[in-house]
Amino acid sequence: MLTPRGLLDRLRTSLRVRVLLLMLTIFVAISIPAWLAFTLIIDTTTIRLGRLFAEKQVLFDRYRGLETLRRETALAETLARSPVILDWAVNEADPGLRARGLAELEHYRTAFGDGSYFFIADASGNYYFNDRDNSYAGRQLRYSVARDNPRDGWYFATIAGPEACQLNVDHDDNLAVTKVWINCKVLRDGRPVGMIGTGIDLSSFILEVVDVHQPGVESIFVDRAGAIQAHRDARQIDFHSLTKDIAAKKTVFNLLDRAEDRQAMAAMMQRVSSAEDTVEAGFVQIDGRRVLAGVGYLDRIGWFNVTLMDLDQIIDDDLFRPIAALLVLILAAATVLATVLFQRSVLDRLATLEVWVRRLRAGDFADMNPPAAADEIGRLTSAFGEMARAVGDNTQRLEAMVRSRTEDLDRLAHLDPLTGIANRRGFLRALADRAATQPQSPDPPLQGGPPGLILVDMDLFKPVNDRYGHQVGDLALVESARRLAACLQPGDLVARWGGDEFVLLAALPAGTTLQDRAEQIRNAISGRPYSLPGGVEVRVTSSVGACLLDPEAGVEVNLDRADAALYAAKQAGRNQVACHDGTRTDTRSGPGA
């Protein structure tokens, strides 16, 4: 009969009691902090998601705004540097220069997105203008700007400012139009002799860039002083910003409720304007609401884009309901886990021990390595584990050595030992792996089309080996591989195809043609001589054949097309690029071909 002390000792070493205590601990550990953890997750996740969304939204608005204004600004800058315009600005009264100047303006008018232009000769103040409908053909001289006219203050403020080009949202009373005006100085020997530019219709600009329907998101464009230049509500726009005192301007700071938020907004604008590709985000209060403000800088036009986001509309609290459900499932899983744990800790281990006894009789010692335990079953199975561990350890060590050697051999089989890049086998395997995984990609890459398959062959490389020796030739091949690798973009592949021939799989980003990438590859080889060890300088050119990769055609067909294009480049005189589009081959000569 067990004494009370003996019963207590048995309970201490009983596996059943330990399992029940462990189950109770799990329930306590999960249930007490569950609600606090759930609340903390909601708060921190909302803030982090909001900041990430703010950064992405600001970058999106930034580049959307830049694309709308950058092209017009670049055209205006180009027109301001036109020799015809410079000569006319200095000698405005010359009839011949006037005719040529107006012809130049009319030529650029068709290129401007708004179809309009203006030009002011600084010496006379004469203002020339024409619109999309060519309403003022033959009478482009509309009026003259004057310092004593407050409506012309924008011109004198801009001509005296440090910027070569400046944007201004303004309503021209003389022309009865409201636009985002792009004002660029006409400079002769560093001295302003006039001003030229164009405008973008304000309503169209707002519709295209600002008034994009996104629940909870409001985009605003402001100038360096914070004056609002574009807003979906035209009443918020600060017209005639260049000629206004700062106190009279409608600024983004006026939208903020608190002084500390205005200071924080000014600090964010200062930081993003001094660091390229930087986005700042922070919480501010507007009309009693807490919103997340993101700020980006459009450096080419001197504007800031401010994106205001109401996180309550963007991030729905319903998104976090699955987390609450998950916590409930975890509690339920803890109950199941306790049951399963008892099953695995007691019954399964006893069953395993029985199997081990039978396997031991048959001479099978594999997989007999139980975890260390001080309970009844652990003490019973420790003898079996000690006998099986040595055999298991030796087996694992041998398998690891074989696996490591196999990996080394596989790596050597797919790398070119001279250049260190992939060899033909490695390239074909990488191409096959990419084709196998491509359908699993959720979204296609942001690029202009399918990638290009490019073959590069060194022109007349045998004379290099004959003249300088194969060691110099090998160094030249290593340098060629290094230059080609330097041209790679994310996702590109390069390999040594054999001898002095290389192959590349090159992505074509939006706006880039296969001819462009192939020319880039050819220029990497032929652009400058190879300076090799020993003072040897070798000039090497290459012929390039390329085709767009057709995944439906198969690897061999694509390689045949690229090889046909390479042959065409060789036949055309070497140092050429030839592109095969499936039906024909076009060649383009490089310099010095």
Side-chain angles (χ1 to χ4, degrees), residues 94-114:
D94 187 310
L97 292 177
R98 181 179 186 276
R100 291 167 55 196
L102 287 174
E104 184 82 347
L105 291 173
E106 288 297 324
H107 173 72
Y108 272 82
R109 180 176 65 82
T110 60
F112 285 125
D114 187 61

Side-chain angles (χ1 to χ4, degrees), residues 539-556:
R539 179 173 290 278
V540 179
T541 64
S542 63
S543 298
V544 179
C547 71
L548 291 176
L549 187 66
D550 182 2
E552 301 296 330
V555 175
E556 293 300 328

Side-chain angles (χ1 to χ4, degrees), residues 118-141:
F118 73 85
F119 169 68
I120 304 174
D122 188 64
S124 65
N126 287 338
Y127 185 103
Y128 298 83
F129 176 82
N130 202 355
D131 60 13
R132 178 187 300 275
D133 299 326
N134 199 21
S135 303
Y136 305 103
R139 49 191 182 91
Q140 288 91 338
L141 177 57

Side-chain angles (χ1 to χ4, degrees), residues 457-465 500 539-543 570 573-574:
D457 188 71
M458 305 293 104
D459 293 331
L460 303 176
F461 198 77
K462 185 177 182 301
V464 175
N465 287 324
D500 55 4
R539 179 173 290 278
V540 179
T541 64
S542 63
S543 298
K570 291 285 189 181
R574 298 186 176 88

Side-chain angles (χ1 to χ4, degrees), residues 178-193:
T178 302
K179 296 185 178 184
V180 180
W181 295 98
I182 301 171
N183 310 319
C184 293
K185 295 178 185 177
V186 179
L187 301 174
R188 169 64 67 91
D189 299 328
R191 181 178 62 86
V193 295

Side-chain angles (χ1 to χ4, degrees), residues 287-562:
D287 296 332
R289 295 179 297 109
R290 183 171 178 258
V291 300
L292 185 63
V295 181
Y297 183 56
L298 285 66
D299 53 339
R300 289 292 303 274
I301 59 177
W303 279 8
F304 296 89
N305 62 302
V306 179
T307 302
L308 304 176
M309 286 150 286
D310 187 344
L311 295 185
D312 292 337
Q313 296 187 46
I314 297 174
I315 303 177
D316 193 346
D317 288 342
D318 290 342
L319 294 174
F320 299 101
R321 294 186 185 276
I323 299 178
L326 179 61
L327 292 177
V328 173
L329 289 176
I330 290 175
L331 291 174
T335 304
V336 176
L337 179 63
T339 304
V340 173
L341 181 62
F342 182 78
Q343 174 74 24
R344 293 174 60 87
S345 299
V346 179
L347 300 179
D348 291 350
R349 290 168 65 191
L350 290 174
T352 300
L353 180 60
E354 185 179 0
V355 172
W356 284 0
V357 171
R358 290 196 298 266
R359 288 172 54 190
L360 183 62
R361 290 175 181 173
D364 182 4
F365 302 97
D367 298 327
M368 295 184 184
N369 190 19
D375 54 41
E376 296 87 344
I377 300 177
R379 292 191 297 270
L380 185 61
T381 57
S382 60
F384 290 96
E386 291 175 359
M387 288 187 294
R389 257 194 302 274
V391 176
D393 290 344
N394 289 333
T395 302
Q396 291 178 0
R397 190 178 302 109
L398 290 174
E399 289 177 349
M401 293 174 61
V402 172
R403 187 164 51 250
S404 176
R405 182 60 59 88
T406 301
E407 292 174 353
D408 291 340
L409 292 175
D410 183 73
R411 183 168 55 256
L412 291 175
H414 293 86
L415 286 180
D416 178 55
L418 176 63
T419 61
I421 63 176
N423 58 15
R424 179 191 293 250
R425 181 183 301 170
F427 181 83
L428 292 176
R429 186 178 73 168
L431 202 61
D433 292 344
R434 178 170 298 191
T437 59
Q438 190 68 29
Q440 302 174 7
S441 300
D443 297 302
L446 297 177
Q447 59 183 28
L453 186 65
I454 302 175
L455 287 176
V456 181
D457 188 71
M458 305 293 104
D459 293 331
L460 303 176
F461 198 77
K462 185 177 182 301
V464 175
N465 287 324
D466 294 341
R467 179 178 178 182
Y468 300 104
H470 286 279
Q471 184 176 5
V472 171
D474 289 345
L475 292 175
L477 288 175
V478 172
E479 174 63 14
S480 299
R482 186 191 67 78
R483 293 189 180 188
L484 292 175
C487 298
L488 298 184
Q489 298 183 6
D492 290 356
L493 299 175
V494 64
R496 185 181 179 191
W497 196 240
D500 55 4
E501 191 173 17
F502 298 85
V503 62
L504 297 95
L505 183 68
L508 302 179
T512 301
T513 65
L514 179 61
Q515 189 79 37
D516 295 335
R517 285 305 308 270
E519 282 291 346
Q520 178 194 16
I521 299 303
R522 187 192 63 78
N523 286 329
I525 299 297
S526 310
R528 64 183 189 279
Y530 287 21
S531 297
L532 302 177
V536 177
E537 186 172 277
V538 179
R539 179 173 290 278
V540 179
T541 64
S542 63
S543 298
V544 179
C547 71
L548 291 176
L549 187 66
D550 182 2
E552 301 296 330
V555 175
E556 293 300 328
V557 173
N558 284 286
L559 287 170
D560 289 343
R561 292 174 179 174

